[in-house]
C-alpha cells in the first residue's frame, strides 16, 4: 500500500465548538443564557416546536400556543397565505402576551426566488455561475424577508444521480463540487453580511443526508449508503454550506442504512455538530420525527421524540412529539436536561442572531422589481443548454415567419414545483417572448394559425411542474410519446424544427433528436421564460449553460453519471441488446453559437505539493460567447478505488470572437484527498491524470505525480 502524504487526517474534531463552549464575550451567549435561566421546562420544549401554517390552520389554536409559549417558530406554506400583517400580529402575541416575550421565527420554502421566481435550482446550476446564483438568492432573501420570512428552507444540496426521483430538480445536479459551490452561494446570498440585516434570511440547508439516493428513484425510500459514500459524496456539500455559515440544517426523511436520518446520531451529532463544529439549529423535515414510528424504530410519539432529540434534531417540524413526550422523558431520565438546554440554546441564539429580540416585526423591503426581472432573465438565459444545432440557430433576421407550437408554447406552467410566493400569471410564455423579441419583419404565428406553413417552427415540449418535485417520481423519464409524435409530424411538413424543452428533471430526449434541427434545454426558467428563450434563439446572447446532470438515452440506464468507479472488467459494462451504455449528452456538455479551442495544457507540480494547471482557451468561432472551462482529475492507483473522473474546478469565462485567455487552476493537496482504507482523510502519493476541457467527455489530458 502506498504511503500517506503529510497532509493527513483532516478536520476530525478540528473545528469542534459546541454551543456550550461558546465564548462568554459573545453577547448572544450571555443574553440567551440569562433568558434560559427564567424558562420552565415546558417553555423550553415549546421553543423546539415548529408547527405549520397551511390552508386549514386553526389560527385560534395557534395563537393560544404562542401565548402559552408552546410554539417557538412556524413553518409557513404557500397554502397558508400568511400576510405580513398576520405574521406581525402573531409576533405581537409572542412578544407582548407570552410570559417571557420570546419572539417567533417564520420559515418558508424560498427555493428559487420568492416574489419573482427564478429557474429551478437544477436549471440555475447549469449556469455554472456561482456569483449569479448568489445574487439571485440575495434578491429572493430580501423579497422574503420583506414579507416577514426569517428563514428559507434552502439550499437543497442532495447530490442525486437518479432522474426518476422528482426532487432531482431541487438540487444542483449529480456532482459533489457543484453542490458545494452552488449551495454555499445560496447560503451567502441568503445570509448576506449579517443575519440581522433586513435583507437577510437564515439558510436551512437540506435534506441532511443521503436523501438523493432514495431507492429506485421513489421518494422517501430507504437509502443504503456506506460511510465512504457518505463522506465522499453526500456529506461534503453540507459541510461546504456549514463552512459558509449556514444557520440551520434540515434532517431528512430517508433511512440511512437502517438508521433514519432524523434519528441518526452519527450524522447529526458525531459528524455535523462535533466534527464540523456546527453550532446552528437542526430542524427536522415535515413530520420526519413522528414518522420514526412508521420506520419502525419508535412505538409511540414519546419514543420518536426521544430518538430524534438524542440523535441531534433540535426543532421538530409539523408533528408534536416533542411537546407531547419530552417532559416525561426528562422526568424518567431518558432525555437529559442538558440536551434539551443545548437544543433550546441553539434556537434562541438563532433568534438572537436574526435580530428578533431587538426588532421582532417585519417591514416591506424596497425591491427594484425591474432589476429583479432583468436578473431573472439573465439567470434563465445562462441556464439554458443547447444540445443540438444543425446550423438553424441563431435565427436569421431574414426569417419571415416562425410558427410556435406545442403544449408549452402558450403555457405559463414554467415555474417548477416550488413556486415561492410567485404566480404563474406573471410568466412570459414563449409565444409572448417571441413576439416581444423578434425583429419587426418576422411574423410569429401560434395555435391553429401555426399550421400555415412557416420555414421555421419552434416546438415547445417538456413536463409540467406537477410531474417533478416532491413525491413526483417517474419510472420512465422519456419525453412523452404524444410530444415526440408532435415533433415528428411538424418535421414532416418540411419546416426547420427547433425543439425547446421545459423540464424539471433530466429527460430522455433521443426519440426527438432525429426530427429536430436544434434542441434547447430550457428547464423551468421562471417568470422571464419566454423572453429568455427568444433572446437565445435570436442570438442576442450565445447559449452558455452546460449540463450538471448526465442525460441518459434510456430510463433503464439509470443511474448513469460521469464520476463512476472503475470496474474490474469495463468491457462488460453493457446491456445484451444495446451494447455499451453511453450518455446521450454527458455531464458538462453544452453547445454555443461560437467555438472554443483548447491548447497548450501545462501541468506543473510545485514543491509544496500544489499543482498549477493552465490551458489556453480561444474563441475561434463567429460570435462572442461564454465558455465553462472544466478541470477533472483521476487518481491512477490508490488504496481504495477512486472515481474515473472527478470535477475539481471550473471557471466561466467570456471571450469576444478572436480572443484567447490563459485559464489557470491551482490544485491544492486537500482537493486530492480521500478516505482511505482506515477511513482517514489522506492524500496518497502517486500518479494523477488531469483533463481540462469543455465537458466531462473530452478535453486535453495531462499527468502529474505527488
Ligand atoms: C420537504 C422540505 C420542505 C418542507 C417544508 C417537506 O415535505 O421535504 O423540502 O422544506 O416540507 O415545506
Amino acid at each position: 500500500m502506498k504511503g500517506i502524504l503529510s497532509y493527513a487526517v483532516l478536520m476530525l474534531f478540528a473545528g469542534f465548538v459546541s454551543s456550550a463552549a461558546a465564548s462568554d464575550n459573545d453577547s448572544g451567549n450571555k443574553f440567551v443564557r440569562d433568558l434560559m435561566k427564567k424558562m420552565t421546562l415546558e417553555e423550553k420544549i415549546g421553543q423546539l416546536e415548529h408547527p405549520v401554517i397551511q390552508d386549514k390552520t386553526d389560527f385560534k389554536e395557534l395563537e393560544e400556543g404562542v401565548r402559552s409559549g408552546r410554539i417557538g417558530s412556524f413553518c409557513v406554506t404557500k397554502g397558508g397565505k400568511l400576510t405580513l400583517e398576520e405574521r406581525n400580529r402573531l409576533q405581537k402575541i409572542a412578544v407582548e402576551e407570552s410570559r417571557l416575550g420570546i419572539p417567533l421565527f417564520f420559515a418558508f420554502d424560498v427555493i428559487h426566488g420568492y416574489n419573482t421566481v427564478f429557474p429551478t435550482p437544477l436549471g440555475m446550476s447549469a449556469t455554472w455561475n456561482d456569483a449569479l446564483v448568489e445574487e439571485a438568492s440575495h434578491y429572493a432573501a430580501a423579497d422574503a424577508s420583506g414579507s416577514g420570512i426569517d428563514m428559507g428552507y434552502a439550499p437543497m444540496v442532495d447530490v442525486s444521480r437518479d432522474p426518476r426521483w422528482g426532487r432531482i430538480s431541487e438540487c444542483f445536479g449529480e456532482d459533489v463540487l457543484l453542490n458545494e459551490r452552488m449551495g454555499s452561494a445560496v447560503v451567502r446570498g441568503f445570509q448576506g453580511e449579517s443575519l440581522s440585516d433586513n435583507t437577510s434570511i437564515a439558510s436551512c440547508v437540506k435534506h441532511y443526508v443521503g436523501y438523493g439516493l432514495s431507492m429506485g428513484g421513489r421518494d422517501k425510500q430507504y437509502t443504503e449508503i456506506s460511510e465512504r459514500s457518505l463522506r465522499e459524496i453526500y456529506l461534503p456539500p453540507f459541510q461546504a454550506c456549514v463552512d459558509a455559515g449556514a444557520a440551520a440544517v434540515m434532517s431528512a426523511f430517508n433511512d440511512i442504512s437502517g438508521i433514519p436520518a432524523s434519528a441518526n446520531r452519527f450524522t447529526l451529532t458525531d459528524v455535523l455538530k462535533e466534527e464540523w463544529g456546527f453550532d446552528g439549529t437542526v430542524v427536522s423535515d415535515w413530520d420526519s420525527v413522528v414518522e420514526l414510528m412508521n420506520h419502525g424504530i419508535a412505538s409511540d410519539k414519546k419514543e420518536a421524540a426521544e430518538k430524534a432529540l438524542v440523535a441531534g434534531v433540535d426543532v421538530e417540524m409539523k408533528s408534536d412529539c416533542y411537546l407531547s413526550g419530552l417532559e416525561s422523558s426528562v422526568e424518567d431520565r431518558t432525555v437529559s436536561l442538558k440536551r434539551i438546554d443545548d437544543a433550546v440554546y441553539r434556537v434562541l441564539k438563532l433568534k438572537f442572531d436574526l435580530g428578533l429580540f431587538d426588532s421582532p416585526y417585519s417591514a416591506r423591503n424596497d425591491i427594484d422589481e425591474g432589476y429583479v426581472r432583468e436578473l431573472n432573465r439573465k439567470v434563465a438565459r445562462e441556464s439554458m443548454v443547447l444540445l443540438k444545432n444543425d446550423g438553424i440557430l441563431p435565427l436569421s433576421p431574414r426569417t419571415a415567419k416562425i410558427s410556435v407550437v406545442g403544449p408549452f408554447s402558450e403555457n405559463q406552467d414554467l415555474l417548477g414545483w416550488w413556486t415561492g410566493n410567485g404566480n404563474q400569471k406573471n410568466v412570459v410564455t414563449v409565444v409572448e417572448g417571441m413576439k416581444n423579441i423578434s425583429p419587426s419583419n418576422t411574423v410569429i404565428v401560434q395555435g391553429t394559425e401555426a399550421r400555415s406553413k412557416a420555414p421555421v417552427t419552434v416546438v415547445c415540449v417538456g413536463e409540467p411542474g406537477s410531474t417533478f418535485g416532491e413525491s413526483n417520481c417517474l419510472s420512465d423519464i422519456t419525453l412523452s410519446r404524444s410530444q415526440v409524435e408532435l415533433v415528428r409530424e411538424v418535421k414532416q411538413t418540411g419546416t426547420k424544427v427547433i425543439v425547446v424543452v421545459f423540464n424539471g428533471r433530466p429527460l430522455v430526449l433521443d426519440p426527438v433528436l432525429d426530427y429536430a434541427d436544434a434542441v434547447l434545454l430550457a428547464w423551468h426558467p421562471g417568470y422571464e421564460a419566454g423572453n429568455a428563450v427568444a433572446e437565445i434563439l435570436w442570438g442576442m446572447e450565445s447559449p452558455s449553460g452546460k449540463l450538471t446532470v448526465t442525460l441518459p438515452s434510456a430510463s433503464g440506464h439509470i443511474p448513469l453519471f460521469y464520476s463512476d468507479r472503475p470496474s474490474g472488467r469495463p468491457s462488460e459494462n453493457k446491456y445484451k441488446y444495446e451494447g455499451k451504455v453511453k450518455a446521450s449528452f454527458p455531464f458538462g456538455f453544452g453547445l454555443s453559437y461560437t467555438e472554443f479551442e483548447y491548447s497548450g495544457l501545462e501541468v506543473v507540480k510545485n514543491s509544496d505539493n500544489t499543482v498549477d494547471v493552465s490551458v489556453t482557451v480561444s474563441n475561434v468561432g463567429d460570435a462572442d460567447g461564454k465558455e465553462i472551462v472544466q478541470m477533472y482529475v483521476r487518481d491512477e492507483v490508490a488504496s481504495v478505488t477512486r472515481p474515473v473522473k472527478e470535477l475539481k474546478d471550473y471557471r466561466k469565462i467570456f471571450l469576444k470572437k478572436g480572443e484567447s485567455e490563459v485559464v489557470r487552476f491551482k490544485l491544492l493537496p486537500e482537493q486530492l484527498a480521500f478516505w482511505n482504507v482506515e477511513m482517514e482523510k489522506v492524500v496518497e502519493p502517486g500518479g494523477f491524470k488531469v483533463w481540462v476541457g469543455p465537458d466531462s467527455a473530452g478535453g486535453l489530458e495531462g499527468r502529474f505525480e505527488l
Side-chain angles (χ1 to χ4, degrees):
M1 197 181 87
K2 295 196 293 188
I4 295 173
L5 286 186
S6 56
Y7 176 86
V9 186
L10 294 175
M11 294 168 295
L12 287 178
F13 304 104
F16 176 36
V17 188
S18 78
S19 59
S23 137
D24 273 337
N25 298 329
D26 178 343
S27 58
N29 185 341
K30 176 148 178 29
F31 175 87
V32 170
R33 293 261 172 251
D34 288 349
L35 177 58
M36 283 175 63
K37 283 183 198 142
K38 299 179 203 149
M39 294 172 79
T40 63
L41 178 58
E42 198 192 355
E43 282 165 335
K44 286 180 180 173
I45 295 170
Q47 285 303 309
L48 310 182
E49 281 298 326
H50 189 60
V52 171
I53 298 180
Q54 49 190 338
D55 53 356
K56 294 204 177 75
T57 295
D58 174 354
F59 268 82
K60 279 270 155 298
E61 212 176 288
L62 287 192
E63 285 169 20
E64 198 28 53
V66 172
R67 201 170 280 121
S68 59
R70 278 182 284 117
I71 292 175
S73 54
F74 283 109
C75 163
V76 182
T77 66
K78 191 164 190 171
K81 296 197 175 71
L82 186 77
T83 62
L84 178 61
E85 294 66 36
E86 275 165 343
R87 181 262 186 209
N88 284 342
R89 194 176 59 78
L90 282 171
Q91 187 70 299
K92 194 158 189 272
I93 296 175
V95 173
E96 294 184 6
E97 298 178 35
S98 72
R99 193 178 76 89
L100 293 170
I102 301 175
L104 302 157
F105 74 79
F106 296 76
F108 186 81
D109 285 291
V110 186
I111 310 296
H112 48 113
Y114 186 71
N115 288 323
T116 302
V117 183
F118 289 88
T120 53
L122 189 57
M124 282 210 256
S125 69
T127 64
W128 298 60
N129 188 335
D130 314 0
L132 204 52
V133 171
E134 182 174 336
E135 195 183 358
S137 307
H138 170 70
Y139 277 98
D143 244 353
S145 173
S147 298
I149 300 304
D150 308 293
M151 176 192 278
Y153 300 125
M156 193 274 223
V157 289
D158 294 315
V159 171
S160 176
R161 290 153 180 194
D162 194 330
R164 293 171 299 182
W165 190 53
R167 304 203 78 169
I168 195 170
S169 60
E170 296 174 49
C171 75
F172 301 108
E174 71 184 44
D175 181 65
V176 179
L177 182 73
L178 273 162
N179 277 282
E180 286 176 351
R181 290 229 188 136
M182 297 278 164
S184 18
V186 173
V187 174
R188 291 192 302 273
F190 272 13
Q191 300 195 168
E193 294 282 299
S194 159
L195 272 185
S196 62
D197 290 348
N198 61 356
T199 50
S200 298
I201 58 174
S203 158
C204 181
V205 189
K206 66 189 187 186
H207 307 83
Y208 191 77
V209 56
Y211 184 29
L213 206 59
S214 207
M215 193 187 281
R218 300 183 297 275
D219 208 4
K220 305 181 176 68
Q221 300 310 300
Y222 178 72
T223 58
E224 184 59 55
I225 319 180
S226 66
E227 185 179 347
R228 181 175 313 288
S229 297
L230 265 179
R231 290 198 181 275
E232 280 184 9
I233 302 165
Y234 299 100
L235 288 169
F238 286 92
Q239 189 174 11
C241 292
V242 166
D243 289 347
V249 167
M250 185 186 292
S251 69
F253 291 123
N254 54 300
D255 173 350
I256 310 169
S257 301
I259 304 176
S262 290
N264 199 308
R265 204 193 138 86
F266 171 68
T267 54
L268 291 169
T269 298
D270 299 356
V271 175
L272 175 68
K273 292 183 176 175
E274 299 193 349
E275 272 183 40
W276 301 350
F278 175 67
D279 58 3
T281 312
V282 174
V283 181
S284 82
D285 202 347
W286 181 288
D287 271 347
S288 69
V289 175
V290 74
E291 285 174 3
L292 295 176
M293 289 159 61
N294 294 345
H295 280 289
I297 63 157
S299 51
D300 55 20
K301 283 181 166 185
K302 177 174 177 285
E303 198 179 0
E306 288 161 358
K307 292 222 159 149
L309 187 86
V310 169
V313 174
D314 302 311
V315 169
E316 178 188 13
M317 188 196 297
K318 189 165 180 295
S319 51
D320 61 355
C321 304
Y322 280 18
L323 205 56
S324 46
L326 286 184
E327 243 184 290
S328 58
S329 309
V330 173
E331 274 157 28
D332 64 27
R333 293 174 190 266
T334 328
V335 165
S336 70
L337 200 51
K338 189 162 170 262
R339 172 66 191 108
I340 300 228
D341 280 349
D342 174 53
V344 175
Y345 177 88
R346 288 169 186 269
V347 176
L348 295 178
K349 179 70 165 46
L350 171 63
K351 293 182 176 183
F352 180 88
D353 291 344
L354 281 164
L356 289 168
F357 286 100
D358 287 335
S359 24
Y361 304 110
S362 287
R364 291 223 184 279
N365 275 320
D366 201 8
I367 306 267
D368 179 348
E369 297 292 339
Y371 179 76
V372 184
R373 274 277 188 165
E374 208 26 69
L375 183 64
N376 173 198
R377 200 188 292 196
K378 189 172 177 195
V379 181
R381 275 195 314 256
E382 285 209 22
S383 74
M384 293 178 187
V385 184
L386 184 64
L387 295 176
K388 177 177 178 182
N389 186 11
D390 284 348
I392 179 71
L393 292 177
L395 291 164
S396 155
R398 289 189 303 278
T399 315
K401 197 177 187 186
I402 300 176
S403 292
V404 184
V405 301
F408 287 87
S409 56
E410 294 176 76
N411 194 337
Q412 293 182 301
D413 182 358
L414 301 176
L415 297 184
W417 194 80
W418 294 107
T419 54
N421 196 36
N423 192 322
Q424 281 188 8
K425 282 198 292 224
N426 298 321
V427 172
V428 179
T429 66
V430 179
V431 164
E432 286 164 351
M434 287 301 283
K435 289 187 175 170
N436 293 341
I437 307 293
S438 299
S440 52
N441 59 304
T442 308
V443 180
I444 302 297
V445 285
Q446 73 209 74
T448 42
E449 262 184 274
R451 301 229 173 97
S452 55
K453 212 168 159 202
V456 176
T457 304
V458 177
V459 190
C460 303
V461 298
E463 51 176 355
S466 57
T467 58
F468 54 90
E470 189 169 353
S471 325
N472 293 309
C473 301
L474 299 178
S475 60
D476 185 359
I477 59 158
T478 312
L479 184 70
S480 77
R481 216 181 282 171
S482 59
Q483 298 189 86
V484 173
E485 192 49 28
L486 171 71
V487 177
R488 195 182 66 83
E489 278 169 14
V490 171
K491 181 66 190 171
Q492 278 173 350
T493 66
T495 178
K496 291 278 184 196
V497 175
I498 299 164
V499 175
V500 180
V501 187
F502 294 99
N503 56 318
R505 58 160 62 73
L507 295 173
V508 170
L509 297 172
D510 289 41
V512 293
L513 293 181
D514 286 346
Y515 310 125
D517 298 282
V519 179
L520 181 71
L521 202 68
W523 315 102
H524 268 229
Y527 277 10
E528 285 293 307
N531 288 333
V533 166
E535 287 179 356
I536 291 286
L537 298 186
W538 282 108
M540 293 166 74
E541 180 168 304
S542 191
S544 67
K546 298 215 183 201
L547 294 174
T548 55
V549 276
T550 302
L551 295 195
S553 57
S555 297
H557 296 176
I558 298 167
L560 190 67
F561 52 97
Y562 85 93
S563 58
D564 210 355
R565 303 263 175 177
S567 88
R569 204 174 294 178
S571 59
E572 292 189 17
N573 186 16
K574 63 181 182 186
Y575 292 107
K576 188 167 183 69
Y577 300 115
E578 293 154 67
K580 198 165 161 46
V581 171
K582 200 170 165 284
S584 265
F585 297 96
F587 173 86
F589 178 83
L591 299 170
S592 162
Y593 293 153
T594 187
E595 261 177 67
F596 296 100
E597 203 174 77
Y598 286 70
S599 61
L601 177 71
E602 279 184 29
V603 182
V604 179
K605 199 208 94 178
N606 304 309
S607 54
D608 59 356
N609 280 326
T610 60
V611 182
D612 291 319
V613 179
S614 62
V615 74
T616 302
V617 183
S618 309
N619 181 344
V620 295
D622 288 330
D624 300 343
K626 291 181 182 141
E627 169 68 333
I628 298 159
V629 184
Q630 302 160 40
M631 175 173 67
Y632 297 87
V633 166
R634 175 171 183 178
D635 192 337
E636 289 174 339
V637 180
S639 60
V640 296
T641 59
R642 303 290 302 131
V644 292
K645 258 185 189 180
E646 274 185 302
L647 182 70
K648 289 296 175 192
D649 207 347
Y650 57 87
R651 188 99 19 95
K652 190 162 190 172
I653 57 169
F654 173 75
L655 291 178
K656 284 189 169 306
K657 70 175 177 185
E659 267 181 7
S660 294
E661 184 178 325
V662 179
V663 176
R664 296 175 200 283
F665 296 107
K666 189 177 262 308
L667 261 173
L668 305 176
E670 56 262 43
Q671 288 172 278
L672 302 170
F674 63 93
W675 296 85
N676 69 4
V677 182
E678 284 81 31
M679 286 307 290
E680 294 163 328
K681 197 168 184 191
V682 298
V683 182
E684 290 178 352
F688 293 80
K689 281 205 176 84
V690 58
W691 297 263
V692 181
D695 56 46
S696 64
L700 301 176
E701 185 179 322
R703 191 177 182 278
F704 62 89
E705 282 200 19
L706 285 189

